[in-house]
Amino acid sequence: MKRPKKFKILLLIVISFAILSSLYLYINSEKKYEDISYSEFISYVKNGKIERVNLNNSSRIRGKFTTGEFFITDNPRTENFKETLLINNIKVVETSGNSTIVQGFTFLLFLVGIGAIAYFINNNMTKQAQKEMASMSNVESNNENEYTFTFDNVAGNEEAKESLKELVDFIDNPEKYSKYGARIPRGILLYGPPGTGKTLLAKALAGEAKVPFFSVTGSDFIQVYAGLGASRIRSLFKKARACGKSVIFIDEIDALGKKRKGNLSSNGNDEGDRTLNALLTEMSGFSDSEGTIVVAATNRVDILDEALLRPGRFDRQIEVGLPDVNARYKILKLHSKNKPLSEDVNLEKLSQETSYFSGAMLENLMNEAAMIAARNNDSYINMDHIDKAFFTVLVGEEKKDRSSILMKDKKITAYHEAGHALVAKKVSMDNRVTKVSIIPSTKGMGGFSMNIPPDKMYQTKKDIRNNIMIALGGRAAEEIIFGAENITTGAYNDLQKATDMIVKMMGIYGMDKELGLLNYEVVLGQNMGSNSIIIDRLKNQIDELYEETKELIIKNKSFLNQIAMNLLDKEVLNEVEINDILFRKCSIA
């Protein structure tokens, strides 16, 4: 196999060299020559107007004037002709062969080279396309665990699991539903944030039903070769049908099924449209008794083509959201089964401190804790390991060398994080502040405050306003303690969050009297920020909330100082220590 490959590379190099040489000769052969008589030529020689003459055995000779132009004339073929030229200081270049033959040969060689390169390119593209098709045709069902992966292996997501469990009976007994005239769902769309377990649920569905599981991603069908994506779709479904009952899982289907642009759009992707049409056709072609179900996953259901979401395609759309406190506890228990936990590890308490953690983040948390314990050669995983892992998952590794951090910067960080914690506890007693740290991380964060609101199905206007004030608490504390001229860039991320919340509250959720009930995202699209009326209103409201935040902190400045001083002393405060400062040592202001 190696020798032919080397030969092809060598041949390609030779051809490339021949083409470049031919191109150079061909360009030179295409110079415009002025045909002059021999007597005129002799006159030019005597007057010093000839720079160079190319001598050869042909009946015509070529040369170059001192002006840079070229000429052609008769060849006298006399013995002293060359001597005459040299006496007159004319450069003589002796050549051989017929120039017409050279030009013809050069042009022919050029055409052969171009043809050879075209052949190589076409051959390689054909082989690449064949490889791509072969790779998709080699997709096998993923049954290495012999259907042992079931819903019992997926913690949390109880609502999603209940919806999928019903499909197991559909797959096992399709005839049962056909008898009642019920059509089996052709497709299930799982949507939600990353890391919430969409792939695991699809795999568990196949394991529970004990059917083959074909797993691909949307990007597998996006190809540069015309028609290849559609061919891959047909190949996948043909293989699944050959297995009878099965589950086809398409992860990140938004890469394949984005909304089509239409005929009037210059940005339309014809190949993408052909691939999507092939998927729609294959899903419509399922027989009700086949027992094959297509499960797809996406983080962006809003950008999917409407044809995918209609009944008969993806009949059911199941949200797979972030786990609540009970689900987090189950997930932590599941990922702690094979880990030696110390008796001081309280998974129930940990589940309360990990709000907004996805299932993948919780698994990563326990894995990081296990790695830290193994690194230290400890017998058990304890809370110290989990605390360090928590810090790593949230903001990155702790910075080991802190000697370069100035005391002034450390003090600014302490007051900034104390501001977040103080406002979080003062705007609502239901908010929990489980941890505040001023340990810098390798990701560039100077510290963090872990503020956990109560689990709610909906957010009220007051909740959003409170969250904006919490985000502004760090900047407000900096201004109060160090002055308006000494505020820092540390609030960059906080201002981003505050802006996002106030835009949604007033421009999307319709929670402002002056802007009314319009959803400005629908009216203006992504250009909402170009409307001066909206911008002015948003600015006024966030300025008002910032002033309220400053008033709250000034009113409770003694608590702010105590939290900051304790942070400077201990670097990390837990929930008990924060509550002790706010509710026991001093009377509430």
Side-chain angles (χ1 to χ4, degrees), residues 70-135:
F70 297 89
F71 67 87
I72 184 170
T73 189
D74 296 322
N75 189 351
R77 299 183 183 177
T78 58
E79 292 183 5
N80 60 348
F81 180 61
K82 181 178 179 182
E83 183 180 351
T84 304
L85 295 175
L86 293 173
I87 290 171
N88 286 277
N89 295 319
I90 296 172
K91 185 179 179 182
V92 177
V93 179
E94 294 192 37
T95 60
S96 61
N98 190 293
S99 60
T100 305
I101 296 173
V102 171
Q103 287 185 33
F105 177 75
T106 299
F107 186 67
L108 181 63
L109 190 59
F110 179 72
L111 290 178
V112 169
I114 292 293
I117 285 189
Y119 170 76
F120 274 112
I121 291 173
N122 181 61
N123 191 41
N124 285 338
M125 288 183 68
T126 303
K127 287 183 178 179
Q128 184 63 30
Q130 289 172 348
K131 285 180 182 178
E132 295 284 353
M133 282 298 297
S135 67

Side-chain angles (χ1 to χ4, degrees), residues 164 167 171 184-190 202 205 212-214 216 221 233 236-237 240-241 245-251 253 256 279-286 290-297 308 312-318:
L164 290 173
L167 299 178
I171 297 172
I184 298 173
R186 303 278 168 78
I188 309 297
L189 182 66
L190 304 175
L205 171 64
F213 179 67
F214 295 90
V216 293
F221 303 99
I233 290 283
L236 173 64
F237 278 78
R241 283 192 178 95
K245 300 173 183 179
S246 59
V247 171
I248 298 173
F249 177 61
I250 306 175
D251 199 8
I253 195 173
L256 163 67
L279 175 62
L280 298 174
T281 303
E282 290 295 330
M283 290 187 70
S284 297
F286 276 144
E290 281 183 10
T292 298
I293 290 180
V294 181
V295 182
L308 271 176
R313 301 276 168 66
F314 286 100
D315 302 81
R316 293 192 182 181
Q317 297 168 32
I318 301 172

Side-chain angles (χ1 to χ4, degrees), residues 248-535:
I248 298 173
F249 177 61
I250 306 175
D251 199 8
E252 305 296 344
I253 195 173
D254 46 280
L256 163 67
K258 285 182 181 177
K259 290 179 181 177
R260 287 169 284 188
K261 304 286 184 180
N263 293 331
L264 299 178
S265 173
S266 60
N267 297 324
N269 183 348
D270 291 339
E271 179 59 23
D273 290 352
R274 278 196 291 269
T275 306
L276 177 56
N277 288 335
L279 175 62
L280 298 174
T281 303
E282 290 295 330
M283 290 187 70
S284 297
F286 276 144
S287 168
D288 291 341
S289 60
E290 281 183 10
T292 298
I293 290 180
V294 181
V295 182
T298 181
N299 306 326
R300 296 287 310 278
V301 70
D302 56 304
I303 65 172
L304 292 181
D305 194 273
E306 292 178 3
L308 271 176
L309 304 178
R310 76 160 176 81
R313 301 276 168 66
F314 286 100
D315 302 81
R316 293 192 182 181
Q317 297 168 32
I318 301 172
E319 182 179 10
V320 185
L322 293 171
D324 60 16
V325 62
N326 294 324
R328 291 196 296 273
Y329 177 60
K330 291 177 182 177
I331 293 169
L332 287 168
K333 277 182 68 178
L334 179 67
H335 293 301
S336 301
K337 272 185 179 179
N338 62 340
K339 294 179 175 64
L341 296 184
S342 171
E343 292 181 359
D344 70 329
V345 174
N346 187 338
L347 293 180
E348 193 168 353
K349 183 182 177 184
L350 184 60
S351 67
Q352 295 172 351
E353 296 177 353
T354 48
S355 272
Y356 304 116
F357 272 49
S358 65
M361 288 177 70
L362 292 169
E363 187 277 333
N364 193 27
L365 173 67
M366 296 309 298
N367 187 60
E368 285 288 343
M371 289 175 68
I372 292 168
R375 197 182 306 149
N376 296 340
N377 294 316
D378 293 330
S379 302
Y380 298 97
I381 301 170
N382 56 43
M383 279 309 296
D384 286 338
H385 301 138
I386 293 175
D387 284 340
K388 287 181 180 177
F390 188 94
F391 187 94
T392 302
V393 170
L394 206 62
V395 296
E397 292 280 350
E398 289 184 11
K399 212 169 187 177
K400 302 298 181 186
D401 182 14
R402 302 175 205 167
S403 58
S404 60
I405 301 174
L406 299 174
M407 187 60 196
K408 182 181 179 182
D409 291 339
K410 200 172 180 181
K411 191 175 180 182
I412 290 171
T413 303
Y415 273 99
H416 183 102
E417 300 305 336
H420 286 308
L422 176 64
V423 175
K425 293 301 292 184
K426 290 299 179 181
V427 293
S428 174
M429 292 292 291
D430 293 330
N431 288 336
R432 296 178 58 212
V433 181
T434 56
K435 188 173 294 187
V436 183
S437 168
I438 60 168
I439 299 172
S441 74
T442 52
K443 288 185 179 179
M445 292 185 66
F448 69 92
S449 173
M450 193 66 184
N451 310 312
I452 302 176
D455 283 331
K456 286 184 177 182
M457 184 176 290
Y458 303 107
Q459 273 193 315
T460 65
K461 180 180 178 180
K462 184 174 176 55
D463 291 335
I464 299 173
R465 286 174 62 90
N466 288 345
N467 288 335
I468 293 170
M469 290 177 67
I470 294 169
L472 298 173
R475 167 60 65 83
E478 285 184 29
E479 184 176 336
I480 290 165
I481 301 300
F482 305 103
E485 294 300 315
N486 293 311
I487 55 176
T488 70
T489 57
Y492 164 76
N493 193 42
D494 302 329
L495 297 180
Q496 218 174 21
K497 290 178 183 175
T499 303
D500 180 62
M501 285 187 281
I502 202 159
V503 167
K504 287 180 177 175
M505 182 182 83
M506 299 173 67
I508 297 176
Y509 302 146
M511 293 180 175
D512 182 66
K513 285 185 179 179
E514 192 169 313
L515 292 180
L517 300 177
L518 280 178
N519 183 316
Y520 286 91
E521 192 175 50
V522 173
V523 178
L524 300 173
Q526 299 300 318
N527 298 319
M528 193 190 306
S530 63
N531 189 295
S532 59
I533 297 173
I534 296 175
I535 293 298

